[in-house]
Amino acid sequence: MKTRGAFLIYIFPAVLVVLLFLLYPLISLVFYGLRPSAEEKTILSFANYSKILTNRFYIKTIIYSIVLSLPTTIVAVFASLSAGWHIAEQRTGTSFLRTVFTFSYAFGGIVYGVIFVFLFGNVGIVSLIEGFLTNTSVTAGFAYTPLGLFVAYLIFQMPRSALFLASALEKMDRDIIPSSRTLGANKVQIFTLVLLPMFRKQVVSSIILIFSMSMASFGVALLIAQNYPIFTILIYQTFSGSANLSLAASMAIILFLAVAFVNMALSLFGGSLNDLHER
Amino acid sequence: MTFTKDSARAGSAPIADQGKNALKVLSNAVLNCFLCLLIVLPAAGIVLPVLSMLVCSFCRFWSSAGIKGITLRWYEEVFQYPMFLDSIVLSLKISLLSVLANNVIGLPFAYALIRFRFPGKNIINETLRLPIVIPGLVFALSLIISFRHLYGSWYLIFIASVVFSLPFYVETVVNALRAFDFVVLENAARTLGAATLKSHWLVLLPMLRVPVIIASATVFTISWSEFSISFLLASANAFPVSGLLYSAYTGTSVQFSSAASIVYVAVLVPFLILLYRYSGNMRTAAKPANRDG
């Protein structure tokens, strides 16, 4: 007794929520950024966009954000292959690693910032150990240097990337590794000739996902990036400090476009976000 | 002549092999150490700071001059801090309501995604998954712009939290539904005379118990720990706990912020344990179906 329209009952609430609270706001955001100022007589105005795209400081901040996020993401994803593999193979300590990494996932950006201050801040673990061993204080305040920011991003990205890779690797046929070992390949050969071609899609997809997260991340940078310009923080300052909502809206669109552009460029290497979600 | 040559070769070969082997073993050991380090370091990067946070929250003094004394003072102060309890209650309310809303909205949708064929399915699903790639800041700004009159109340934070966690909920349930062959069971129930609602209640929901628990715990974790959206939407009337943590970090002592973070993390612990316990179950349950497919 199935009617053809039965699916409507099931999808109606979700469709309503998506239309009203996701699509409508995003479209209004686009138009809000294009809103003309009082003097202009046109319907749409690109004044905000030309202001952002011709201003050296804004451009520099976008580039600096990408320069921070992209290399750290690539290093983090490759470095976490080991942990991802370990989890996927369910070796010793898998459950511990999974729990710890899930925990890290649950700490919003802000707690991550504090965690990093506890590691490399003025009274961080590293500087305490250093002081105890050599009575110096070279590492104190490392968290607040640009290099510290890079390391902070790495630490923030690695557990997430390891979990993504693990769930992707779990679904794959990994029996090929023992076979290639039997055929005489050494570890480096297995990695470069067997694993990398096999996992290229998963690796690229993880890079895309982690890069998007890093570009959007806000809490870590808010706490420790002191002199390093970051675009999300600039948007926040435009919104809360100078209360220029229209400019902030255009900046948000530009951030989204910048992320989408880099992601598209990355997906040329194979892989997309969908690969991580589909079974 | 050939005999001596052969014997010489036979004698020298094992020595060269031994050298090669030693080198191989050594390089293997170095590689293994490096790979282990790559596993241990990120874990240590989380465990050590959290432990030191825990220690610090009980310390009387924590500075470069030294670490001294044990006290409960910071926890007392945290609970007396203006708005701390309010924030915790507000965030709990928002997170629990998000779990409820996700179950009402996401469960039927996930079911429809697998059960029915309908026009525009992919477009709707892709739109629903937009929050995964859209920076939280962008989403928060768009909500502020379109619902100006709601800005400042907790409704907007709640709405954001639902929309933001919905794709994760749907994905978990959809993956579970793909793993079970529930259509056969449902048809069997219908053949035996169960109406649609009855078969949902007696067949589908019991099967989906574990995935729904996992998805709900995920939603709670996401909406409890989300920072950028709730920080932007926060106001004096509705100040979620992650915003409060930020003001603690920037405006109070290290010990105080540690104690506040420990309380914040402590709320998450039961949900993470739930996630951890059941995620193993789901994997083992999903495996046989995977192999067949």
Side-chain angles (χ1 to χ4, degrees):
Chain A
M1 295 295 274
K2 204 121 217 135
T3 46
R4 283 181 70 88
F7 72 92
L8 280 175
I9 306 168
Y10 295 92
I11 65 168
F12 178 71
V15 170
L16 189 72
V17 165
V18 166
L19 283 182
L20 190 61
F21 298 124
L22 183 63
L23 220 50
Y24 163 64
L26 288 176
I27 291 170
S28 20
L29 181 77
V30 173
F31 281 105
Y32 202 86
L34 291 170
R35 226 165 63 158
S37 56
E39 308 93 66
E40 287 170 303
K41 289 283 187 303
T42 48
I43 306 167
L44 296 175
S45 145
F46 289 93
N48 279 328
Y49 288 95
S50 59
K51 189 176 171 186
I52 297 165
L53 295 174
T54 53
N55 187 321
R56 241 206 209 140
F57 179 64
Y58 289 125
I59 297 293
K60 193 182 109 184
T61 312
I62 296 174
I63 291 173
Y64 268 56
S65 302
I66 295 176
V67 165
L68 170 67
S69 299
L70 195 56
T72 50
T73 302
I74 292 172
V75 172
V77 168
F78 278 100
S80 60
L81 266 172
S82 176
W85 181 262
H86 193 93
I87 294 175
E89 286 274 276
Q90 310 222 330
R91 303 220 180 116
T92 24
T94 297
S95 48
F96 174 74
L97 278 182
R98 205 182 263 281
T99 318
V100 169
F101 289 170
T102 314
F103 242 101
S104 90
Y105 203 77
F107 297 154
I110 191 74
V111 181
Y112 239 96
V114 177
I115 278 183
F116 196 68
V117 171
F118 261 96
L119 268 178
F120 289 109
N122 290 323
V123 200
I125 303 171
V126 174
S127 79
L128 284 176
I129 293 173
E130 188 208 340
F132 180 74
L133 291 178
T134 61
N135 223 355
T136 53
S137 57
V138 185
T139 50
F142 174 69
Y144 306 107
T145 61
L147 189 64
L149 193 64
F150 275 73
V151 176
Y153 266 59
L154 266 180
I155 290 185
F156 153 80
Q157 291 157 340
M158 272 183 78
R160 294 175 186 223
S161 144
L163 281 185
F164 281 121
L165 285 171
S167 67
L169 297 183
E170 258 172 3
K171 293 168 197 158
M172 298 186 65
D173 179 25
R174 299 186 305 275
D175 294 340
I176 195 169
I177 307 303
S179 332
S180 47
R181 198 170 296 144
T182 316
L183 291 172
N186 64 31
K187 277 192 172 175
V188 179
Q189 281 170 332
I190 289 178
F191 182 71
T192 53
L193 299 175
V194 182
L195 280 182
L196 271 191
M198 226 172 109
F199 300 149
R200 199 188 63 201
K201 250 187 165 175
Q202 276 73 14
V203 168
V204 175
S205 316
S206 301
I207 289 178
I208 291 178
L209 190 72
I210 303 288
F211 172 73
S212 310
M213 274 180 181
S214 315
M215 283 295 282
S217 122
F218 180 49
V220 181
L222 201 61
L223 271 188
I224 62 172
Q226 287 182 337
N227 295 314
Y228 195 95
I230 288 185
F231 202 59
T232 38
I233 292 184
L234 196 63
I235 298 178
Y236 173 68
Q237 286 163 351
T238 311
F239 163 69
S240 75
S242 41
N244 192 341
L245 201 51
S246 168
L247 184 62
S250 325
M251 289 167 80
I253 298 286
I254 286 190
L255 170 70
F256 179 65
L257 290 179
V259 174
F261 177 75
V262 176
N263 284 349
M264 258 161 63
L266 283 172
S267 64
L268 292 180
F269 293 96
S272 71
L273 275 183
N274 287 346
D275 294 329
L276 284 178
H277 297 284
E278 275 157 19
R279 245 162 210 273
Chain B
M1 282 296 271
T2 45
F3 175 70
T4 44
K5 223 178 186 177
D6 268 80
S7 73
R9 198 181 287 152
S12 67
I15 297 166
D17 261 10
Q18 264 172 22
K20 241 185 198 169
N21 269 345
L23 200 71
K24 214 174 169 185
V25 167
L26 192 73
S27 67
N28 246 337
V30 170
L31 192 67
N32 279 336
C33 275
F34 178 66
L35 290 179
C36 271
L37 207 65
L38 283 182
I39 299 171
V40 172
L41 274 183
I46 298 159
V47 174
L48 287 181
V50 172
L51 283 182
S52 70
M53 223 186 240
L54 192 65
V55 172
C56 178
S57 66
F58 290 107
C59 275
R60 205 178 292 273
F61 298 105
W62 178 281
S63 71
S64 42
I67 299 164
K68 266 180 250 142
I70 298 170
T71 177
L72 279 175
R73 188 185 135 198
W74 307 111
Y75 284 94
E76 277 168 36
E77 274 188 24
V78 161
F79 283 103
Q80 282 159 11
Y81 191 69
M83 288 160 55
F84 187 81
L85 275 182
D86 289 350
S87 287
I88 293 238
V89 170
L90 177 77
S91 280
L92 267 180
K93 185 166 81 176
I94 289 174
S95 308
L96 290 175
L97 282 177
S98 298
V99 170
L100 190 71
N102 264 288
N103 277 303
V104 172
I105 300 165
L107 194 56
F109 182 74
Y111 173 79
L113 273 185
I114 301 294
R115 188 74 175 83
F116 304 111
R117 260 185 225 169
F118 52 89
K121 183 157 124 178
N122 279 337
I123 296 175
I124 299 172
N125 195 23
E126 288 304 312
T127 320
L128 184 114
R129 282 197 0 212
L130 271 180
I132 299 178
V133 282
I134 288 184
L137 196 77
V138 177
F139 182 48
L141 275 177
S142 75
L143 279 179
I144 292 173
I145 284 166
S146 7
F147 301 99
R148 278 282 183 74
H149 52 286
L150 283 180
Y151 179 46
S153 73
W154 67 273
Y155 298 115
L156 208 56
I157 308 177
F158 166 63
I159 289 169
S161 148
V162 172
V163 178
F164 205 70
S165 51
L166 194 58
F168 297 95
Y169 181 96
V170 170
E171 195 187 306
T172 312
V173 178
V174 160
N175 278 343
L177 280 172
R178 280 209 182 117
F180 305 122
D181 197 1
F182 71 99
V183 180
V184 172
L185 290 175
E186 251 191 3
N187 286 342
R190 203 159 291 136
T191 316
L192 292 172
T196 310
L197 266 182
K198 201 172 176 185
S199 84
H200 281 354
W201 184 250
L202 292 176
V203 179
L204 194 63
L205 282 184
M207 263 193 330
L208 283 178
R209 194 180 60 98
V210 171
V212 162
I213 291 176
I214 295 173
S216 302
T218 311
V219 167
F220 184 92
T221 316
I222 289 173
S223 64
W224 176 260
S225 57
E226 202 291 317
F227 174 68
S228 46
I229 297 179
S230 38
F231 186 62
L232 234 72
L233 297 178
S235 66
N237 303 324
F239 208 62
V241 73
S242 42
L244 193 88
L245 276 186
Y246 175 71
S247 61
Y249 294 148
T250 47
T252 61
S253 68
V254 201
Q255 296 98 313
F256 181 91
S257 354
S258 311
S261 320
I262 294 295
V263 175
Y264 168 89
V265 171
V267 175
L268 275 178
V269 168
F271 292 91
L272 291 174
I273 291 174
L274 212 65
L275 267 182
Y276 170 61
R277 256 199 59 200
Y278 281 108
S279 65
N281 273 0
M282 185 147 110
R283 267 199 305 284
T284 46
K287 254 183 189 157
N290 260 355
R291 223 166 270 156
D292 292 341

